[in-house]
Amino acid sequence: MKVLMSGNEAIARGAYEHGVRFAAGYPGTPSTEIMETFARYEGVYAEWSPNEKVALEAAIGAAVGGEKAMAVMKHVGVNVAADPLFTVSYTGTNRALVIISADDPSMHSSQNEQDNRNYAKFAKVPMLEPSDSREAKAYIKVALDLSEEFDTPVFLRTTTRVAHSKSIVELEEPIPWEDKTGVKINAAKYVMVPGNARVRRQALETRTAALKQFAEKTPLNRVEMGSREVGIITSGMPYNYAKDAFPDYSYLKLGMPYPLPEKLIRNFASKVKKLYVVEELDPFLEEQIKAMGIDVTGKSIFPFANEFDPGIVSSAISGCAEIGAIPAAPDVPPRPPNLCPGCPHRGVFYVLGKLGAFVSGDIGCYTLSFMKPLEGLHSTVCMGASIGMAHGMSKALGDGGKGRVVAVIGDSTFVHSGMTPLLNMAYNGSDAVVVICDNSTTAMTGMQEHPATGYTLQGRPAKKLDFAALAGVFGIENVETVDPFDLKQVRKVMKKELAGTGPSVVIAESPCVLFRRANPVIGKPLMVDPEKCNGCKLCLGLSCPPISWRPFSEMSEGTYEKKTKNQEGIAFIESVYCTGCTLCQQLCKAGAIVEEE
Ligand code: SF4
Ligand code: SF4
């Protein structure tokens, strides 16, 4: 049967059809739907691990124990998993182990734009790179076979465009599951003390040489001869862009960007007059091909950053923007992203923005609070960095830092990478305050479970982490829980904790407004009473989407009455968006924000 599937759904389906029964991952755009799809198949085990390092370690354990396994993460997740990655490359895996790296050119939902093809070369792990959903399903099967044949982890790299675009795939019957599980003791292979690791280092070189031979003959690396005037070497999504722009040129499509098929590349290069490499992000293929002594044009005409499209490819190669050019985007007013109406983080960041402290932020929806008018967050580096950075800053500032450093982290991110830096704060005695914004879910990636939600990925009840108890066990004496919708309470507790000495933890606890299961705060919508509004604009400081401003200059005379000489307009609440969270009501000194009748 043929069906339309996204690249992510196709990877999950391919893994299932090919006998994978264990998968672990951490949610992150653009990879999230792989785990969510896989978890729904019959007879599989799928888990959200607290972070990507744990996910990879669990998948390694499953593969060594004889199960076909998959570890799923977005590109920055591979940084977190890099420690076990580099060593599992040495030990090998026993049964199949595939690591999905979903990269994000153009940073649609990421803090950087790294090109994880570099990890393949760096860790000496073979990598496959599909260009669409059909290939995504086919390639994961090849990756699993390759892993077992060569006793190596294998990377499958996608990019956002492959992960989320849909194309037709053919569903196949899953192969019968083969029980090869069992405990096999082999310390020389799996205990990487220097004496054993040196032996495995040699095995790694032998394996890479064999993989190079595989790369020469695999149909994953495909020559499509067309006009010999121009040859294009490419991989992944850029293959589609180049084919769209120049369907008649000759192509070497590399479904396996590491290790490269040197002979195949030389042969292809010798058949065309002019050779280009079309690749997004780093000159990964270009540098290796140039190192072979082959004359090729790449980043001297193509951008180093962002996604490509057929227009970019055609104008770079032909110098002619008309061929395949993408029409310019219509000129629409910019609309900055914002926290949702009724978001429980809004009040916390409103207070933090007024405290005059440095707020060390983290990865999550609340990162959006860095913008005006909230300006409640001053740094975002990576998962867990909020607490580590706040500790460093508190130490660097010494006594001058007392009361001036706050770290803010979400519940899911805290579980991912916040525990060790918090322990460090307790152990090394910081004066910073850590605010855990606990909204009971991993909101930014679409409401995934984690160890503090009380449920597993497959919907089973689970042990629920207690943040206050954990902080206490770490040795943090000052722990407070606040209602983030109570501005007075949040302000009071923050001031108290900032004035004290030693590390403290404030847990701002209220479920994400979009998370139905956890009963978020949804009240009656509020409205602005135009008779009472004096135009002070205090409520606008929350930047809540339903609140807007109506200047008198745009209203017909007689429809308003100025309360003060300088009043320029009145606030307005669009009730269909308002959740009645009352934050704006708490700020309005004129009592102008009231419940709708
Ligand atoms: S009550 Fe005010 S702050 Fe809350 S959602 Fe409605 S408009 Fe926004
Ligand atoms: S805070 Fe109250 S008085 Fe001030 S602009 Fe908003 S609604 Fe009007």
Side-chain angles (χ1 to χ4, degrees), residues 527-530 532-541 547-549 563 567 569-573 584-594:
M527 59 170 277
V528 176
D529 181 348
K532 292 187 184 159
C533 176
N534 62 23
C536 71
K537 293 189 177 174
L538 267 178
C539 56
L540 299 181
I547 310 178
S548 59
W549 179 251
K563 311 290 166 321
Q567 186 175 352
I570 54 171
F572 176 79
I573 293 178
C584 55
Q585 196 175 37
Q586 292 173 50
L587 289 179
C588 179
K589 294 196 172 90
I593 300 182
V594 293

Side-chain angles (χ1 to χ4, degrees), residues 362-430:
D362 222 295
I363 305 290
C365 349
Y366 47 85
T367 307
L368 301 174
S369 68
F370 83 94
M371 283 185 291
K372 282 182 190 300
L374 285 174
E375 294 181 305
L377 184 144
H378 308 119
S379 67
T380 300
V381 172
C382 67
M383 304 278 276
S386 58
I387 303 180
M389 281 177 65
H391 169 73
M393 188 172 282
S394 151
K395 286 291 172 194
L397 297 176
D399 282 347
K402 271 198 199 317
R404 296 190 50 212
V405 185
V406 178
V408 180
I409 189 164
D411 46 337
S412 185
T413 311
F414 178 79
V415 169
H416 179 284
S417 299
M419 287 187 271
T420 32
L422 184 68
L423 180 60
N424 187 42
M425 273 181 68
Y427 173 58
N428 283 308
S430 300

Side-chain angles (χ1 to χ4, degrees), residues 108-172:
H108 296 284
S109 184
S110 305
Q111 65 269 44
N112 72 29
E113 198 184 38
Q114 68 196 43
D115 185 335
N116 277 7
R117 293 177 300 172
N118 293 298
Y119 264 117
K121 189 162 176 281
F122 193 11
K124 302 184 196 307
V125 169
M127 175 176 269
L128 310 187
E129 194 180 18
S131 299
D132 56 27
S133 302
R134 187 188 60 77
E135 285 189 354
K137 185 160 99 63
Y139 281 24
I140 182 130
K141 296 183 179 186
V142 179
L144 290 160
D145 288 344
L146 204 59
S147 174
E148 283 192 20
E149 185 183 341
F150 291 88
D151 188 25
T152 175
V154 176
F155 266 122
L156 187 81
R157 176 188 187 247
T158 65
T159 53
T160 309
R161 208 52 57 177
V162 176
H164 288 166
S165 60
K166 292 198 173 191
S167 56
I168 291 171
V169 299
E170 176 103 41
L171 298 188
E172 291 157 273

Side-chain angles (χ1 to χ4, degrees), residues 340-343 346 485 513 524-527 539 542-547 572-575 577-586 593:
C340 302
C343 170
R346 187 180 301 281
F485 289 112
V513 68
K524 268 188 104 179
L526 303 186
M527 59 170 277
C539 56
L542 281 168
S543 189
C544 186
I547 310 178
F572 176 79
I573 293 178
E574 187 65 71
S575 60
Y577 300 124
C578 174
T579 66
C581 77
T582 78
L583 285 175
C584 55
Q585 196 175 37
Q586 292 173 50
I593 300 182

Side-chain angles (χ1 to χ4, degrees), residues 18 53 65 77 99 144 156 221 238 287 300 337 388 457 469 515 588-589:
H18 215 55
K53 178 175 184 286
I99 304 161
L144 290 160
L156 187 81
N221 297 327
E287 282 179 359
S300 58
L457 164 59
F515 191 28
C588 179
K589 294 196 172 90

Side-chain angles (χ1 to χ4, degrees), residues 7 23 27 44 49 112 124 193 207 239 242 282 301 311 317 354 431 448 472 482 493 515 544 558 581 589:
V44 304
S49 304
N112 72 29
K124 302 184 196 307
V193 292
R207 182 181 82 200
Y239 164 77
D282 294 348
I301 58 166
I317 289 182
K354 307 265 180 245
D431 279 318
Q448 286 78 29
V482 295
V493 168
F515 191 28
C544 186
C581 77
K589 294 196 172 90

